[in-house]
Amino acid sequence: MVAFGYTLMTEQAGPKDLVSHAVRAEACDFEFQVISDHYFPWIDEMGHAPYAWSVLGAVAHATERVELMTYVTCPLLRYHPAVVAQKAATIQILSDNRFLLGLGSGENLNEHVVGRGWPPVNIRHEMFVEALQIINDLFDGGYTNFHGDHYRVDSAKLWDLPEQRVPIGVAVSGRQSCEVFATLGDHMISTLPKPELGQWWDAAREGEEKSRRIGQLPISFDRDRDAAIDRAHAMFRWFSLGWKVMAELPGTAGFAAATQTSRKDDVAQGIPCGADPQAVIEGVRPYVEAGFTDVALVQVGGPEHQPPFFDFAERELLPALREAFG
């Protein structure tokens, strides 16, 4: 069976709208909700970037049963890993053990704001390993002391630990990241529907408990397909750049420049647009065939585009997806 989730996209809605979207998504019977953790939107047209952890606290209080997840938080520069562990433990308590901490090695877009520069990818991977070690150690309870190449922790302790340990999802994109990070997390996160990722991840975790594989797919629902395509092009044309580019650009102007030759037809080929559930089914299919257990949908558009999507999801889309994939 595949679980279907809804994305609280902080780049395209403000904090109050995001909380109301979370409530409605739970009522529509999405099985989990993920939230992006950004300081900047990808491009100016998206127009928002509230603090994800404040929103999560409100969502944890406003919802009752849906699983919550960061997709994903970077514990390298903007946040110290010891602080990330504290935030995650608090959300786990507030949500009555409904939280999964999704972590990744981040993007320059969000991390440059603290003025520490943007390290090359090999250094970021070293930092991510240390960050995961610190977070895991704090989740174990007791005092943590750590002296690594990139981080120091002096006698830290989480005084409010949840009854259920916070599970950790780790974002991966290739063989190296799977082999390095798989034993430091519980579940695999990727926006790339490649079966080899799961194979590399499982091989690195041989003998350990089976992991979930959590993916994400943007869609642009509108009864007017041309309007859906226009909106996807305006707000999500950056999506096709790939992580090697997306991780490095420092601001919205860079993403605008990198996508200035993007065509609407190209965006429509990569993002299901319109009101046909079958188009979304075909978009999800590569994830299912690659062994993904969870797929979070992103409805492209601002707050005004979410309520019509919820009606569509509840009445047409989710029943079709569950009939197609169990």
Side-chain angles (χ1 to χ4, degrees), residues 194-244:
K194 296 180 178 180
E196 57 266 30
L197 289 176
Q199 295 164 7
W200 293 327
W201 178 275
D202 289 345
R205 289 176 56 85
E206 185 177 3
E208 298 192 37
E209 186 177 348
K210 188 72 173 178
S211 293
R212 294 161 65 183
R213 302 177 189 176
I214 306 164
Q216 187 181 57
L217 175 71
I219 69 172
S220 184
F221 164 76
D222 201 293
R223 297 294 177 187
D224 181 340
R225 187 168 185 270
D226 288 338
I229 293 172
D230 288 346
R231 191 167 67 249
H233 181 262
M235 298 184 71
F236 258 71
R237 61 186 182 272
W238 51 270
F239 192 75
S240 62
L241 290 173
W243 283 111
K244 288 187 178 181

Side-chain angles (χ1 to χ4, degrees), residues 80 82 134 137-138 142-148 151-159:
H80 190 282
I134 291 166
D137 198 49
L138 285 165
Y143 285 93
T144 291
N145 292 280
F146 187 89
H147 187 181
Y151 298 106
R152 297 193 67 168
V153 178
D154 180 18
S155 190
K157 176 182 176 179
L158 299 180
W159 286 90

